[in-house]
Amino acid sequence: MKRLIYADNAATTKLDTDAFEAMKPYLLDEYGNASQPYTFSRAPKRALQEAREMIASCINANPNEIYFTSGGTESDNWAIKASAIAHGKHCSIIASQIEHHAILHACHAVEQMGYSVAYLPVESHGIVQPASLSSIINRETKLVSVMYANNEIGTIEPIRELCSIAHEHGALFHTDAVQAVGHVHVDVKALAIDMLSASAHKFNGPKGIGFLYIKAGTPICPYADGGAQEFGMRAGTENVAAIVAMAIALQKNCSRIDEVTTHLLSLENNLLDALQDAGLDFIRNGSSNHIPGNISLSFKGAQGEMLLHRLDLMGISVSTGSACDSKITQVTHVVEAIQVPNEYRYGTIRISLGYENTVEEIRYIAESIAKILR
Ligand code: PLP
């Protein structure tokens, strides 16, 4: 059987086995609706509260500041749309040019509704410069949203500085931390963040579940109207099994961040050395301060999409930063924003490693890329 190597952990991760085991009782036996007052619902209700406490402690929040959602996309949409609505038509928003589409498309939607949105550029490593925020923020700005870490290139943004500039101008600060939570230490209080989005399937939890951290007292509208779940802010019967699994996965990932980081940084060095030894001409995109294991590479004269398919035939799963649309090859908005030089930009791929990847796999990935490109 062909050996398959998964190297697309920024797209999704494997469900942790403890998280999976923790789900079972709430699917099979303790399936009561957590909102009901009777004895049968006591266990799921307690599990929900414990999960909220566990998740809150992983990011240094209070439990009543954690709102369960269906994942990163919903959390991002909530933060952007409900902040706009809460502040009225004279509200303007600032986001970065390299946000995930969950933020960018939510921003386009509020623009359609009449709100104004400004998009911050980034420098060549994908960093949003605090000075560029200072130069455009004004009294109308009610929300600044800059991602904690970029999904395509892994760059970690200067959140503390950006957040304090937003606050100096009376604006709220939201961060899409979908790629960061569970991978680097995140402390919402130390950074003074007002809202933060996270998604379980990026940190070995199940798909379709996530949360939005909303600092107590933040002016924001509910996301879904209906029942009184999630403190009346996000109606809908809670997916207790998935929430419990998310909490277990997050706690486990947070407890081993340093150990996993060491492993991933060593794999990164192995890969880069092997590609260099093979004589390939490439650029590594992103900043030195990045999400461990997120490696965006642009190979001179190559086609990212061709590379993806050839690697797939060799049993390796990675992502690309460009796609062929009929006759023209288009690069992603992130590759565009960081201005990867023309000879390299179309040959962009993202290899995103997880704690289960091994040195042998890295060697095989490097050999396979070299075989295709030489
Ligand atoms: N934000 C970022 C930075 C992401 O990488 C992703 C997923 O790729 C999302 C948001 C969307 O998260 P979800 O898949 O949970 O909707």
Side-chain angles (χ1 to χ4, degrees), residues 42-346:
R42 240 182 238 163
K45 194 178 294 173
R46 197 180 320 116
L48 209 55
Q49 181 53 21
E50 281 170 11
R52 212 184 290 283
E53 286 163 12
M54 281 164 73
I55 288 169
S57 83
C58 289
I59 60 163
N60 196 23
N62 299 321
N64 60 356
E65 296 172 321
I66 303 296
Y67 295 81
F68 298 126
T69 66
S70 66
T73 301
E74 182 184 323
S75 298
D76 285 347
N77 271 267
W78 186 357
I80 299 293
K81 293 176 181 170
S83 305
I85 293 166
H87 286 100
K89 278 274 144 83
H90 290 294
C91 147
S92 86
I93 292 173
I94 298 176
S96 89
Q97 285 176 353
I98 62 163
E99 295 300 308
H100 188 270
H101 284 137
I103 290 288
L104 291 178
H105 292 176
C107 285
H108 299 162
V110 297
E111 282 184 279
Q112 294 293 316
M113 289 152 76
Y115 297 93
S116 88
V117 183
Y119 299 92
L120 288 167
V122 292
E123 51 74 92
S124 62
H125 301 99
I127 299 170
V128 176
Q129 300 285 5
S132 73
L133 174 59
S134 295
S135 71
I136 62 165
I137 195 165
N138 59 42
R139 282 215 319 262
E140 305 260 281
T141 310
K142 298 292 181 245
L143 177 71
V144 175
S145 181
V146 175
M147 65 203 319
Y148 204 110
N150 182 267
N151 45 305
E152 287 190 35
I153 56 174
T155 296
I156 296 178
E157 299 296 344
I159 297 300
R160 188 191 300 271
E161 291 90 328
L162 296 169
C163 188
S164 85
I165 295 167
H167 289 166
E168 279 162 24
H169 291 80
L172 295 173
F173 187 83
H174 165 258
T175 186
D176 173 344
V178 165
Q179 294 289 334
V181 168
H183 300 281
V184 292
H185 299 286
V186 172
D187 184 328
V188 289
K189 286 211 179 98
L191 295 172
I193 291 165
D194 298 300
M195 287 180 281
L196 172 146
S197 303
S199 174
H201 75 103
K202 307 289 188 180
F203 53 77
N204 307 98
K207 294 170 181 56
I209 192 76
F211 64 90
L212 180 66
Y213 157 79
I214 307 177
K215 188 162 82 188
T218 302
I220 185 166
C221 298
Y223 188 67
D225 299 311
Q229 295 92 349
E230 298 308 296
F231 316 108
M233 296 288 278
R234 196 272 189 184
T237 303
E238 302 90 344
N239 185 346
V240 178
I243 290 168
V244 166
M246 167 162 71
I248 300 280
L250 183 56
Q251 197 175 53
K252 203 162 160 183
N253 270 29
C254 287
S255 70
R256 62 182 180 201
I257 284 178
D258 296 337
E259 180 196 327
V260 172
T261 297
T262 307
H263 173 61
L264 293 177
L265 293 182
S266 139
L267 292 184
E268 282 185 15
N269 288 334
N270 271 294
L271 180 73
L272 298 173
D273 288 348
L275 293 172
Q276 243 143 31
D277 291 348
L280 297 174
D281 188 346
F282 67 93
I283 296 171
R284 181 183 183 172
N285 302 307
S287 142
S288 55
N289 186 21
H290 63 274
I291 294 296
N294 185 318
I295 312 162
S296 168
L297 303 171
S298 296
F299 293 94
K300 189 174 183 183
Q303 291 289 327
E305 208 176 1
M306 177 278 286
L307 203 44
L308 180 149
H309 292 302
R310 297 280 301 273
L311 286 171
D312 188 32
L313 291 173
M314 294 162 122
I316 301 166
S317 307
V318 300
S319 278
T320 178
S322 66
C324 227
D325 178 8
S326 59
K327 288 197 192 72
I328 36 163
T329 306
Q330 287 181 325
V331 295
T332 64
H333 64 292
V334 177
V335 171
E336 187 76 57
I338 61 172
Q339 297 182 9
V340 177
N342 265 337
E343 323 87 87
Y344 292 86
R345 56 170 49 192
Y346 301 106

